[in-house]
Every structure is written in structure tokens, then in C-alpha cells.
């Protein structure tokens, strides 16, 4: 079938089952937008390309599908970079299609030209500069395959404008042939048996679950193994929701702002089984002291994660759906006895949970940020999809929301991207239109991409935004307080900050404000009951720290305010 | 320890930059890197010498393996191996020292590829240590400039890297 390159791109996306594209047009991508004009694909115009990338990312995290975004060449494409890097760090499947200047003027420093494949090489799973229009269908087929298989990640396709107007014979390939890319779902059964054996010998086993479990849709499988053998579990930030936070076997998040029980369990366990985790430095603290008494087993689909940060005694490389199923059968021999075997250990860790729960000083005079999270969690019955930005509010959300299921917590973990929240929440809400989506943000983060409120209003998304407004860059201030002698250098917004109610109204959203603890429940209830996007300006006290805290580079048992009572 | 690895990649523009960039950003030191066509026109073979312990090497290999354009990686260090490097060395050669230099070239089985009134250019192919040794001897005469290719390596085992386990 004869069609232009632009039509070929659109048709290929339809063949991949794409329903939604986030993007922003511009000169070099105009023919593609022209082709969008007569097709069924839904395109959402964000107000910034960074918003498009984060929205595609939020959509992908909420649905498990590949997120797609478009941008033009040069500044359009470079504006995607933060979003691409965010997706790369958290292994989010994404395909970004960028316009490029025509082939004849590539390399001449042409208007709006940037070497986008060069720039994105370190932050993409793969990228393409397409040189021939007839390659477009194959490249798109490959890009989706690469983005969604193995360890997921973002793929960039850079398309020179001239290719979009060239006529080609369209034929969509049915299979992908890549010599250098053959993800192996199944690993070696002997490796799994070794872990089962180690579990049988362990006295204090501990499961450590990460985002890989959610990516692999392996949470139900994991839950079964955990419930059958009653093994205590800790989670990384990205792993929250894999096991219901309310499960007594779940000790909470581990690491810098982890719970006392989770961090102590790491220090005391004799077998730590990492499942879909990458042992980030925010998790491990001082590497030399991390799980120092334990053998370490590591399940991951990416071989390069094994021994990257923490040296593993046992490793299982493969898709978690395969490896956890294999572990389940290998552990069947342990039978119900497994549950009894670790009773002492289980009692010990649950005692830590009871003796040192997450807590904060309550107040009747000022709104405590933690209480905002608790109230949102209570009023949404822990059923909302919670999206966050980055900073103190993000850690409080991780600590105080009672996540019940995978994909209910959407946050920038690896890159820690301020400004991620609002566009990601838009993507998540569009991917899950029937789920309540609540963005918990800080005033600093929210300002970084607040223009996307216009997008939320345009589509009348039922999205609710809670800004924990303390008029400071809270997490930076916390570090200044604890580690820089309270020298608060440039972390307070001048003139009392921004009026978020009026900002919301200027964009056509509803703005609400809570200034006292009594007002808080009402404001949240009103926001949840109001149609369309609502922004809550919640004035919280500024001098509040995220605790407990392990200082960067310290061992996990060196927690500020982490005493067991 | 130094490791020699052979990386077979798709012969595409930018692939060498991609490989070198990945190694550099993971903070591994590249001692030498060479690239060229192979018996298959669409495959480029890159020979990389990196410095690091075995765990570093494992990371380099695993990280490189993730690149879609990488077809195969073989660690050659542990195998019986032919390693070669090519050097062109321009050395000061006055009429009275010329015969000296010719003797040295003979001994090293090198080749004189250019002569003029003041200098000679010597070509030598061989193992790195042999080239180092020649350079050291020629240094007495004054090396004007020189260029070395970096190492290429091929296993002595029958069969090709692309077919190995």
C-alpha cells in the first residue's frame, strides 16, 4: 500500500495498538501532525515537551503499556530529555518519536537541529536516526519490541522531515529480527534451586522487592510465595504496592527513609533475596555494611544488575514470571514447615515494626504534612492511584500511604525528577480514566511543570492535586538543617510564595485552600467530590523533617530518630 | 589487570561512539580501542583493552551486552591469542646515524618505509612490548613523531568469536 512516511508512522502506531500519544508539534514534525489529523489515534497536546514525556511515562506506569510521545527537532527533542532519563532510570517502556531536520541539512547546524540520537544514547535502551523512509515500519516495530521486552526502557526514533513526505510501499513486518537483542525470559533452573536450597538453610531470610516485580506483573506470584512460606518482606520505593503495605509480613520501605524494622531486618538477616531490585545507593547506605551478615541472592532480568552494586552469592537471571514460578515449585518441598521454621525471626521483625512504627508529632495548631497524606489515604480508602513529585512529600507519601496493589504508586525513583508529578498524573489518569488519581506534590516541584494544569483542564480530568505547601524546598532545607549547620541558602521562596488557588483558577481548575488542621478533612472531601481538576493549597508547617533518616553513605542501622522504644 | 575483549557490532554509524561512551560513563578506563570491518560486511569488530579487576570486566561485558547493536562479546585475555599493533615511527636520521638505525630495524624485523635527508619512517607490526622496545632504542636517535594503532587480537582456537559460547 502506497503512503507517505508520516502516514506509515501513524499506521505503524495503530498496528502496535497505540491509543494515546502525548506531544507537541513544531516545524520538523509537521507532516506527522498532518497525518494525525485524519487518523483515529488520540493525541494530547501538553504545554511543554517535558510534560509530554512525563505524561507518556505516567501512562505507561499506570497501565503497563508502552507510553508514546512526539516532539519536534532541536529544542522540542531536548525538552524530552529529562522525561526520557526519568523513564530510563525506572525502566519504563516508552517510544519517543522526534522530528529532525531534512537529511540534506543534517550536520550543518541548521535551524532547530540537535544531535538527538547522540544526546539520548546514554539514557535510552536504544535509539534510531532513520535515514530511509522505507525503514520506518521496521524501525517502529523494533522500537516497541525493544521498549516492552526484557528490562523495559525508552526508545527514541529520530525522523528527518523529508522522510515523512516520501512515498513508500507500506508493509508492516510481523516479526523482529535483531541479532544483538534476544531477551531470555527463562534462565537456569539450577540457579533457582540454589536459592531454594539457601532458603531452606536460612534462619533469617528476607525478601527485598523492587519495581521489577511490578514491571513483570509478577506481584500475585510473589504474594503467593510470601504467604505460603511467611517470609518477611521489605520494599524499595519502586516496589511499593507489590505486597499490600498492610500485610503484617511487609516491614515497609528500606533505605534512607525506610522504616526501622526494614533497615534493622537488612542488618540482621542471614539471607537477603533481592527481587527485581538494583540496590540503589539510597537503599543500601554504606555498601560495606549492607546486609553484612547475609548471603545475597539476586533475581533480575538484567544480567548487568548482578554484582553491579552489591555482590551476589546467588543470582537468577530471567523474567520474574518465570523465576518466581520456578522458585515457588522449588520451595514446595519446604512445605508448611517453612512457615514454622522462621517463626522466631518473624516475631523479631514484627516486634521491631510494633516498637518503632513510623510516627510524627501531631499538632492541633499547624497542619503536619504527614497528616495530609494519612487523611488522603483514609478518604480514598487506600484505593487511589497516588502520584508524587520529588522531595519530602514524596517520602511521606511512600511512608504513610497504605498501597494495596501494583501500579498504585507512581513516582520518579531513580532520577528523582522534580516536576514529574503533574504531567505523570495526567498520563496516569488518562490511562486509568476510572481510577481516582491523586497527585501529592510540594510547592517547589509543582511549580516546575504547573503549566500542565492547562492540559488537565482541557481534558477535564478528575485529577486531584494536593500541594504540601511549606513555601520552602523542603528536602533541600532538611539537608541544610541536618548537614549544613542550618545555613538555609536559597531554599525559601520570597514574598510568601505563589497563590496556588489563584494559579489553579487562572488555568480554569478549582482551587481550594486549607490552613488549619480542622479545615483539612473538609477540603480534601470537597476536592474529591468536585468534578474536574482540583488543586489543594495545603499550608503545612515548614520545619518538619522526613524521619527516620539514614545520612547518605552511612550504614542502615545509623538512623536519625530511629530508636526502638 | 588488563583485559582484551572483542566486540562484534552492527556496522552502523555512531556505534563506535556508543560503545566507547558506555565504557567511559561507567568509569572504566579504555587503554586502547580499534575498529574495522570483518569477513561479514555488516559486522564491525572492535577490540578493546580495558584496565580493571575481574568484577570490573564482568560489568563492562554485561553493560556492553545490553546494547542492541552489540552482537557478541568475547573476552580474549584467558585464551591463547595473537595480538598485534602497528606503529609508524618517524626518527631523526642524519647520514652518520643512518646505518645504525638500519641495523636496529633489521634486528626488530621492522621496515623502513620512507627516507629523506633528515628523517626515516619505520613501520613495525608486532606485540605491544616489541613496539615499546623498538621505541626505546630509537629514542636515542630522537623520535620526531609516531603513531600506534592500538591492539587488535584474534584467538588461536579454531572457529570464530561469533560462533563461540
Amino acid at each position: 500500500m502506497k503512503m507517505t512516511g508520516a502516514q506509515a508512522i501513524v499506521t505503524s502506531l495503530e498496528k502496535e495498538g497505540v491509543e494515546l500519544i502525548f506531544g507537541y508539534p513544531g516545524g520538523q514534525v509537521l507532516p506527522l501532525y498532518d497525518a494525525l489529523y485524519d487518523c483515529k489515534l488520540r493525541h494530547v497536546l501538553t504545554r511543554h515537551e517535558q510534560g509530554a514525556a512525563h505524561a507518556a511515562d505516567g501512562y505507561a506506569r499506570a497501565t503497563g503499556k508502552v507510553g508514546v510521545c512526539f516532539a519536534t527537532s532541536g529544542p522540542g527533542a531536548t525538552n524530552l530529555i529529562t522525561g526520557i532519563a526519568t523513564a530510563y532510570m525506572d525502566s519504563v517502556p516508552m517510544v519517543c518519536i522526534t522530528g529532525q531536520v531534512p537529511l540534506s541539512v543534517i550536520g550543518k547546524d541548521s535551524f532547530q537541529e540537535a544531535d538527538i540520537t547522540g544526546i539520548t544514547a546514554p539514557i535510552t535502551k536504544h535509539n534510531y536516526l532513520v535515514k530511509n523512509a522505507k525503514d520506518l515500519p521496521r524501525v517502529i516495530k523494533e522500537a516497541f519490541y525493544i521498549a516492552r521486552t526484557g528490562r523495559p526502557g525508552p526508545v527514541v526514533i529520530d525522523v528527518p522531515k523529508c522522510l515523512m513526505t516520501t512515498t513508500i510501499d507500506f508493509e508492516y513486518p510481523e516479526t523482529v529480527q535483531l541479532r544483538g537483542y534476544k531477551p531470555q525470559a527463562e534462565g537456569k533452573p539450577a540457579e533457582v534451586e540454589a536459592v531454594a536450597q539457601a532458603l531452606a538453610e536460612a534462619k533469617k531470610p528476607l525478601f527485598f522487592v523492587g519495581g521489577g516485580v511490578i514491571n513483570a506483573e509478577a506481584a500475585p506470584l510473589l504474594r503467593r510465595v510470601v504467604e505460603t512460606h511467611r517470609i518477611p518482606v521489605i520494599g524499595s520505593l519502586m516496589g511499593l504496592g507489590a505486597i499490600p503495605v498492610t500485610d503484617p509480613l511487609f516491614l515497609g520501605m528500606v533505605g534512607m527513609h525506610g522504616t526501622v524494622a526494614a533497615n534493622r531486618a537488612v542488618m540482621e538477616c542471614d539471607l537477603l533475596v533481592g527481587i527485581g531490585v538494583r540496590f540503589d545507593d539510597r537503599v543500601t547506605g554504606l555498601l560495606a555494611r549492607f546486609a553484612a551478615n547475609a548471603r545475597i541472592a539476586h533475581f533480575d532480568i538484567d544480567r548487568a544488575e548482578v554484582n553491579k552494586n552489591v555482590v551476589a552469592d546467588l543470582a537468577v537471571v530471567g523474567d520474574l514470571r518465570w523465576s518466581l514460578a520456578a522458585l515457588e515449585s522449588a520451595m514446595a518441598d519446604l512445605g508448611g514447615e517453612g512457615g514454622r521454621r522462621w517463626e522466631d525471626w518473624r516475631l523479631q521483625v514484627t516486634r521491631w515494626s510494633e516498637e518503632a512504627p513510623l510516627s510524627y508529632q501531631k499538632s492541633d495548631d499547624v497542619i503536619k504534612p504527614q497528616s495530609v497524606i494519612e487523611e488522603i489515604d483514609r478518604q480514598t480508602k487506600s484505593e487511589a492511584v497516588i502520584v508524587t513529585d520529588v522531595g519530602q512529600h514524596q517520602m511521606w507519601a511512600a511512608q504513610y500511604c497504605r498501597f494495596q496493589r501494583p501500579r498504585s504508586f507512581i513516582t520518579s525513583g531513580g532520577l528523582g525528577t522534580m516536576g514529574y508529578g503533574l504531567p505523570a498524573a495526567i498520563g496516569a489518569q488518562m490511562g486509568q480514566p476510572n481510577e481516582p488519581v491523586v497527585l501529592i506534590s510540594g510547592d517547589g516541584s509543582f511549580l516546575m511543570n504547573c503549566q500542565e494544569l492547562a492540559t488537565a483542564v482541557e481534558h477535564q480530568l478528575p485529577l486531584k492535586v494536593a500541594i504540601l505547601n511549606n513555601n520552602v524546598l523542603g528536602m533541600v532545607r532538611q539537608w541544610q538543617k541536618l548537614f549544613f549547620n542550618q545555613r538555609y541558602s536559597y531554599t525559601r521562596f520570597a514574598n510568601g510564595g505563589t497563590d496556588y488557588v489563584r494559579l489553579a483558577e487562572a488555568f480554569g481548575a478549582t482551587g481550594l485552600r486549607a490552613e488549619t488542621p480542622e479545615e483539612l478533612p473538609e477540603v480534601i472531601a470537597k476536592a474529591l467530590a468536585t468534578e474536574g481538576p482540583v488543586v489543594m493549597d495545603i499550608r503545612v508547617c515548614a520545619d518538619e523533617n522526613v524521619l527516620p533518616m539514614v545520612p547518605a553513605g552511612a550504614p542502615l542501622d545509623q538512623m536519625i530518630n530511629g530508636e526502638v522504644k | 589487570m588488563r583485559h582484551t575483549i572483542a566486540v562484534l557490532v552492527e556496522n552502523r554509524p555512531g556505534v563506535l561512539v556508543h560503545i566507547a561512551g558506555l565504557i567511559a560513563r561507567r568509569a572504566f578506563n579504555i587503554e586502547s580501542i580499534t575498529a574495522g570491518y570483518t569477513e561479514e560486511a555488516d559486522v564491525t569488530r572492535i577490540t578493546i583493552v580495558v584496565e580493571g579487576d575481574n568484577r570490573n570486566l564482568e560489568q563492562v561485558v554485561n553493560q556492553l551486552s545490553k546494547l542492541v547493536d552489540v552482537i557478541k562479546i568475547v573476552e580474549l585475555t584467558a585464551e591463547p591469542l595473537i595480538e598485534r599493533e602497528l606503529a609508524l615511527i618517524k626518527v631523526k636520521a642524519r647520514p652518520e646515524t643512518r646505518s645504525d638505525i638500519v641495523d636496529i630495524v633489521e634486528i626488530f624485523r621492522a621496515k623502513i618505509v620512507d627516507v629523506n635527508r633528515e628523517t626515516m619512517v619505520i613501520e613495525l607490526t608486532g606485540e605491544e612490548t616489541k613496539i615499546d622496545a623498538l621505541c626505546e632504542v630509537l629514542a636515542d636517535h630522537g623520535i620526531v613523531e609516531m603513531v600506534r594503532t592500538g591492539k587488535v587480537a584474534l584467538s588461536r582456537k579454531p572457529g570464530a568469536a561469533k560462533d563461540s559460547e
Side-chain angles (χ1 to χ4, degrees):
Chain A
M1 201 172 139
K2 295 252 185 245
M3 57 174 79
T4 65
Q7 287 165 335
I9 293 172
V10 167
T11 313
S12 301
L13 293 177
E14 286 171 343
K15 298 246 179 215
E16 285 299 325
V18 173
E19 290 156 357
L20 200 53
I21 296 156
F22 300 91
Y24 205 103
Q28 307 300 349
V29 80
L30 269 174
L32 181 55
Y33 273 80
D34 191 60
L36 274 181
Y37 198 69
D38 345 275
C39 81
K40 289 195 211 88
L41 288 173
R42 189 170 167 216
H43 175 279
V44 172
L45 174 67
T46 56
R47 269 41 172 187
H48 189 303
E49 287 91 349
Q50 191 186 340
H54 290 323
D57 171 310
Y59 172 87
R61 294 193 208 217
T63 61
K65 298 176 192 165
V66 179
V68 180
C69 62
F70 286 180
T72 191
S73 67
T78 55
N79 277 345
L80 294 177
I81 301 299
T82 304
I84 296 170
T86 303
Y88 182 71
M89 287 292 270
D90 290 339
S91 307
V92 176
M94 220 159 91
V95 170
C96 312
I97 297 180
T98 50
Q100 181 55 279
V101 300
L103 283 173
S104 56
V105 295
I106 283 185
K108 317 271 189 230
D109 299 328
S110 309
F111 178 66
Q112 293 194 330
E113 182 188 357
D115 170 17
I116 218 64
T117 48
I119 292 171
T120 60
I123 51 165
T124 48
K125 190 169 171 188
H126 192 52
N127 68 27
Y128 295 89
L129 169 59
V130 187
K131 296 266 184 70
N132 197 321
K134 73 172 172 36
D135 293 337
L136 283 166
R138 174 183 60 79
V139 164
I140 290 172
K141 177 87 184 173
E142 287 177 5
F144 276 84
Y145 177 71
I146 292 168
R148 64 161 75 101
T149 54
R151 178 179 185 171
V155 178
V156 167
I157 307 172
D158 199 27
V159 187
K161 186 182 189 180
C162 54
L163 267 49
M164 298 182 201
T165 49
T166 306
T167 303
I168 62 164
D169 274 321
F170 180 84
E171 197 183 340
Y172 203 61
E174 288 190 357
T175 54
V176 167
Q177 271 157 0
L178 291 161
R179 277 192 287 195
Y181 182 75
K182 295 200 164 46
Q184 293 283 323
E186 300 194 1
K188 299 185 183 126
E191 292 175 342
V192 182
E193 281 151 26
V195 176
Q197 186 58 40
L199 276 161
E201 291 160 10
K203 294 199 167 53
K204 301 173 178 178
L206 184 65
F207 277 3
F208 170 28
V209 304
V213 175
I214 292 163
N215 272 344
E217 308 282 359
L221 200 50
L222 172 77
R223 215 176 286 183
R224 227 158 57 205
V225 176
V226 167
E227 295 300 333
T228 310
H229 299 284
R230 306 193 33 79
I231 296 171
V233 187
I234 57 174
S236 72
L237 180 72
M238 302 307 296
L240 293 177
I243 296 280
V245 167
T246 44
D247 188 322
L249 287 167
F250 186 70
L251 309 180
M253 183 169 73
V254 66
M256 183 171 278
H257 294 297
T259 63
V260 171
N263 285 347
R264 288 196 69 171
V266 170
M267 300 304 279
E268 298 256 334
C269 68
D270 66 354
L271 176 67
L272 181 70
V273 184
I275 306 169
V277 291
R278 56 187 183 81
F279 296 101
D280 178 80
D281 56 281
R282 281 291 185 270
V283 156
T284 61
L286 182 67
L287 260 180
R289 295 273 304 279
F290 178 77
N293 307 317
R295 296 176 79 192
I296 292 183
H298 192 176
F299 287 75
D300 209 292
I301 196 159
D302 182 357
R303 186 175 296 279
E305 282 306 328
V306 176
N307 296 342
K308 187 184 76 180
N309 296 335
V310 167
V311 180
D313 302 284
L314 301 160
V316 179
V317 177
D319 190 315
L320 290 177
R321 268 168 304 185
W322 166 80
S323 53
L324 286 177
L327 183 68
E328 189 180 31
S329 25
M331 283 179 77
D333 300 342
L334 294 173
E337 201 210 340
R340 282 196 296 281
R341 183 186 318 228
W342 300 308
E343 183 135 20
D344 287 349
W345 169 236
R346 219 163 27 238
L347 284 173
Q348 188 175 15
V349 295
T350 37
R351 203 161 48 236
W352 288 330
S353 282
E354 285 157 13
E355 287 171 350
L358 289 164
S359 67
Y360 61 95
Q361 198 73 48
K362 303 238 173 11
S363 167
D364 291 331
D365 308 322
V366 286
I367 302 179
K368 287 297 185 106
Q370 300 93 330
S371 71
V372 182
I373 313 272
E374 285 183 324
E375 187 59 23
I376 290 170
D377 185 63
R378 193 181 68 77
Q379 291 201 23
T380 57
K381 303 183 183 68
S382 311
E383 282 167 359
V385 174
I386 300 291
V387 186
T388 77
D389 267 293
V390 168
Q392 286 186 314
H393 69 272
Q394 176 189 32
M395 291 297 114
W396 283 318
Q399 291 178 332
Y400 290 95
C401 284
R402 292 172 297 175
F403 303 107
Q404 297 300 308
R405 59 192 161 89
R407 305 196 183 282
S408 61
F409 186 42
I410 293 175
T411 194
S412 167
L415 199 67
T417 311
M418 288 176 73
Y420 170 79
L422 181 58
I426 289 171
Q429 184 73 80
M430 289 191 152
Q432 299 285 10
N434 301 319
E435 301 280 347
V437 175
V438 178
L439 167 63
I440 295 170
S441 187
D443 47 333
S445 286
F446 186 76
L447 278 183
M448 280 202 181
N449 270 320
C450 61
Q451 77 285 349
E452 297 307 334
L453 260 183
T455 314
V457 169
E458 179 185 334
H459 296 275
Q460 274 305 299
L461 300 177
L463 181 63
K464 310 304 169 213
V465 182
I467 301 175
L468 306 192
N469 183 2
N470 51 12
N471 201 38
V472 294
L473 304 177
M475 190 59 96
V476 189
R477 184 184 186 278
Q478 175 168 340
W479 283 59
Q480 288 172 334
K481 182 177 182 177
L482 297 174
F483 312 116
F484 290 86
N485 233 351
Q486 302 186 39
R487 287 156 55 88
Y488 299 121
S489 181
Y490 300 101
T491 43
R492 171 167 292 276
F493 290 122
N495 308 323
T498 306
D499 184 336
Y500 294 99
V501 172
R502 288 173 67 188
L503 181 95
E505 286 165 354
F507 279 109
T510 306
L512 301 172
R513 178 169 291 131
E515 287 174 303
T516 62
E518 304 88 80
E519 290 171 348
L520 180 67
E522 253 172 83
V523 164
I524 292 172
K526 192 172 172 198
L528 292 173
T530 304
E531 273 183 46
V534 180
V535 176
M536 292 172 270
D537 177 18
I538 302 170
R539 299 293 179 88
V540 297
C541 56
D543 193 24
E544 190 72 22
N545 295 317
V546 182
L547 295 170
M549 178 180 193
V550 178
L556 290 185
D557 53 0
Q558 221 175 78
M559 276 170 280
I560 299 173
N561 198 28
E563 307 89 24
V564 177
K565 279 172 197 131
Chain B
M1 187 188 165
R2 289 167 94 192
H3 302 271
T4 305
I5 50 180
V7 187
L8 300 175
V9 300
E10 299 285 350
N11 179 14
R12 291 216 181 104
V15 69
L16 181 63
V17 172
H18 206 163
I19 300 270
L22 187 145
I23 297 177
R25 97 173 168 273
R26 296 277 178 185
F28 304 115
N29 193 29
I30 301 174
E31 301 253 320
S32 96
I33 185 164
T34 59
Y37 300 116
T38 65
E39 70 284 0
E40 288 173 54
D42 54 353
V43 175
T44 296
R45 181 167 171 139
I46 303 177
T47 309
I48 307 172
V49 182
V50 286
E51 172 75 41
D53 59 21
N54 284 334
R55 200 176 145 208
N56 287 344
L57 177 76
E58 183 194 322
Q59 262 299 304
V60 170
V61 170
N62 285 344
Q63 293 292 348
L64 285 178
S65 303
K66 286 167 69 170
L67 297 181
V68 171
D69 283 336
V70 170
I71 302 164
K72 182 118 200 174
I73 302 177
V74 187
E75 214 250 298
L76 294 171
T77 319
E79 299 185 9
L81 187 69
I82 312 256
E83 292 179 304
R84 289 291 182 272
E85 200 178 336
L86 167 71
L88 292 173
I89 307 161
K90 190 189 291 172
V91 64
K92 280 188 193 147
R94 294 186 308 278
E96 62 271 28
T97 59
R98 239 178 236 160
S99 63
D100 244 13
I101 296 171
V102 171
D103 286 348
I104 294 166
V105 166
E106 275 292 300
I107 293 164
F108 276 90
R109 294 177 204 280
K111 238 193 308 186
I112 294 164
V113 288
D114 188 55
V115 182
N116 65 33
R117 283 162 66 187
E118 291 160 44
T119 59
M120 282 170 144
V121 176
I122 297 161
E123 175 194 318
L124 177 61
T125 307
E127 288 191 4
E128 196 187 351
T129 47
K130 184 175 175 180
I131 294 172
D132 289 345
L134 175 65
C135 293
E136 212 178 302
V137 180
L138 290 178
D140 297 341
H141 293 275
I143 294 174
V144 179
E145 63 174 336
M146 63 176 288
V147 56
R148 294 169 70 154
T149 56
K151 198 192 278 186
V152 292
L154 214 55
S155 156
R156 286 177 190 268
K157 287 195 304 197
K162 65 185 174 206
D163 305 319
S164 63
E165 253 309 290

